Amino acid sequence: MKGAGANRPQPVSVAEVRTTDIRVWLNALGTVTPRNLVTVRAQVDGTLLKVNFREGQMVEAGDLLAEIDPRPFQIQYDQAKGQLARDIALLDNARIDLARYKGLLAKDAIASQQVDTQDALVRQYQGIVESDRGQIDNARLQLEWTRVTAPTSGRIGLRQIDPVNQVHASDAN
């Protein structure tokens, strides 16, 4: 006999059969490498006002990540709009004078050189107005860049800057 009670009945419990996941934990050291890595940098210089994310947070493309102080860029935009309004007024006045000069030239009351000079002034103001429109577009773009958004959907990595810090478009981080 091998042991006392070896031939006696043993207690048994019954359970219903079911399919389930079994969690397996493995403690190890390693490195996680993302499939795609995007580095987000400021495109304008300024004071960082807000950081709207937490490390490890999931974001969608277009989500607001940070805000840079827009006031200097708003001022540039407003100045460009004012310059455009001024130059449009100058262009309109030059066109009116050109129309007058053409009428006087038809009556042989002024020299054709004066009409040619006024025509050149109208074209000069047209170029200035186009340049002003480009300045407005540039100022609007700079203003839009004060809102740093997620270029793609994914998980945020490490935050490397805090509010109130100065950011520069040339910063490596």
Side-chain angles (χ1 to χ4, degrees):
M1 206 186 224
K2 293 190 178 178
N7 290 330
R8 283 195 284 161
Q10 297 295 317
V12 178
S13 61
V14 177
E16 185 177 323
V17 176
R18 63 182 172 174
T19 303
T20 185
D21 291 336
I22 298 175
R23 294 183 183 251
V24 177
W25 295 92
L26 175 64
N27 292 325
L29 295 176
T31 303
V32 176
T33 305
R35 190 173 19 179
N36 296 318
L37 179 66
V38 176
T39 302
V40 178
R41 292 188 178 109
Q43 294 183 323
V44 293
D45 297 350
T47 303
L48 187 63
L49 295 180
K50 292 181 187 174
V51 175
N52 298 329
F53 66 88
R54 294 177 323 278
E55 292 177 351
Q57 174 184 342
M58 292 298 294
V59 295
E60 298 295 323
D63 284 355
L64 181 63
L65 300 178
E67 292 180 65
I68 298 169
D69 187 1
R71 293 176 298 174
F73 304 102
Q74 183 66 51
I75 290 168
Q76 289 175 353
Y77 177 71
D78 293 341
Q79 286 175 333
K81 283 176 40 179
Q83 186 69 33
L84 175 63
R86 175 185 168 272
D87 291 338
I88 286 175
L90 289 171
L91 175 60
D92 290 345
N93 187 49
R95 285 179 174 155
I96 290 168
D97 285 348
L98 179 60
R100 278 191 204 123
Y101 291 171
K102 285 182 178 179
L104 291 172
L105 181 63
K107 296 177 185 174
D108 231 8
I110 60 171
S112 64
Q113 180 181 359
Q114 196 168 356
V115 174
D116 293 342
T117 301
Q118 190 64 29
D119 184 52
L121 185 62
V122 167
R123 286 179 292 165
Q124 179 183 347
Y125 284 143
Q126 286 172 335
I128 291 171
V129 166
E130 287 304 310
S131 175
D132 291 345
R133 287 191 175 120
Q135 291 295 330
I136 287 175
D137 290 343
N138 182 50
R140 184 181 305 119
L141 181 61
Q142 299 294 315
L143 189 57
E144 288 174 11
W145 281 344
T146 62
R147 297 176 51 83
V148 180
T149 58
T152 185
S153 298
R155 185 175 306 277
I156 294 285
L158 295 175
R159 184 178 83 188
Q160 298 179 345
I161 192 159
D162 294 310
V164 188
N165 281 289
Q166 289 291 317
V167 295
H168 302 284
S170 61
D171 287 345
N173 294 327

